[in-house]
Amino acid sequence: MTAQAPANTVVVLDFETTGLSPTQGDRAIEIGAVLLENGQATARFQELMNPGFRISSFIEDYTGITNAMLQEAAPCDEVMERFYQFVGQHNMVAHNASFDQRFLEAEFDQIGRRLNGDFACSMLLSRRLFQDAPNHKLGSLVAYNNIDNDGVFHRALADSEMTAKLWLCLLEQLEQHYSLINPSFALMQQISRKSKANVASFLHKIA
DNA sequence: TGCCAGGCCCTCTTTAGGGCCTT
């Protein structure tokens, strides 16, 4: 999908992983995703995946995903091939997208696949559009925007659901405060690259 | 032995340092 595609049609995704860096040998252990089409959640994806080695007790505690659960899960390659089919040509959104993009590219490399769409980051957008939020962690932004949630954090589908709702809040903020209706994905990327000080004047100019 | 990410962004900046985010 091109960057000129509407921002309200995207795949919002989240990884749980064995650590912070695929270049240090970390692997994905769960992926969750929500397909938004015209601002509506029309499909969901969630699978655990077996990285082929035991995960640390820290990650077990952090995610609630145990080594016993992963022993019964399909290997990463199988899950990522199914996810490749799910994501198709869509653009993607994640919270702190550079993290999820690194893992997605690393896992796709393992199966000889490449990204088809572009990434946008709900954290960078939130830093520009929710400047009064206490901080820009996903959980804090969910509370700041009174987003419905079931209290589950650090699981892939739950976090991708909340990120999808946060993404819709960002679109609503643009509509309510700057009369920007149905912006393109490319414009969202452009806003995320503006400085905090300049973003308001930029948005007023193009509104 | 000890350490181990990477990108963004602010400021006491740009010949740098450190906090924020993600697991």
Side-chain angles (χ1 to χ4, degrees):
Chain A
M1 187 170 280
T2 70
Q4 295 305 319
N8 64 1
T9 296
V10 292
V11 168
V12 185
L13 66 94
D14 182 70
F15 276 111
E16 304 307 315
T17 70
T18 64
L20 292 172
S21 175
T23 61
Q24 300 293 312
D26 288 316
R27 298 294 302 269
I29 57 174
E30 187 181 43
I31 185 166
V34 176
L35 172 60
L36 291 178
E37 293 183 292
N38 300 313
Q40 300 291 319
T42 58
R44 290 173 173 79
F45 187 100
Q46 179 183 33
E47 285 204 50
L48 291 169
M49 55 189 119
N50 188 338
F53 54 87
R54 290 183 64 79
I55 63 173
S56 68
S57 56
F58 171 81
I59 294 297
E60 283 189 315
D61 292 342
Y62 187 81
T63 63
I65 298 168
T66 65
N67 280 291
M69 292 161 69
L70 294 177
Q71 273 189 334
E72 297 175 4
C76 295
D77 293 3
E78 285 182 23
V79 175
M80 292 311 300
E81 179 60 33
R82 285 194 282 274
F83 185 71
Y84 180 82
Q85 301 302 325
F86 177 85
V87 74
Q89 304 290 316
H90 287 98
N91 291 321
M92 288 159 283
V93 169
H95 199 67
N96 196 10
S98 65
F99 175 87
D100 293 278
Q101 183 172 356
R102 278 197 300 278
F103 274 96
L104 187 59
E105 287 175 342
E107 293 296 344
F108 275 176
D109 271 350
Q110 296 275 339
I111 59 171
R113 298 293 197 183
R114 295 226 168 163
L115 299 187
N116 293 313
D118 281 338
F119 260 90
C121 178
S122 58
M123 184 189 75
L124 295 181
L125 265 297
S126 294
R127 283 177 174 168
R128 307 303 186 281
L129 299 179
F130 300 134
Q131 296 192 16
D132 292 337
N135 60 60
H136 297 88
K137 296 176 184 176
L138 179 59
S140 300
L141 291 164
V142 165
Y144 180 78
N145 287 287
N146 296 312
I147 292 172
D148 286 342
N149 68 92
D150 56 11
V152 176
F153 289 90
H154 306 309
R155 286 300 298 268
L157 183 58
D159 282 5
S160 60
E161 296 266 15
M162 287 188 285
T163 303
K165 290 176 183 174
L166 174 61
W167 186 249
L168 296 176
C169 285
L170 289 163
L171 296 177
E172 188 179 331
Q173 179 83 348
L174 289 173
E175 182 172 340
Q176 288 186 351
H177 289 262
Y178 302 100
S179 301
L180 276 172
I181 297 169
N182 200 14
S184 69
F185 189 82
L187 179 59
M188 298 299 274
Q189 292 176 308
Q190 196 176 355
I191 294 168
S192 73
R193 290 191 289 264
K194 293 289 172 189
S195 72
K196 282 172 66 174
N198 293 338
V199 68
S201 61
F202 169 76
L203 289 168
H204 281 302
K205 277 182 196 168
I206 64 173

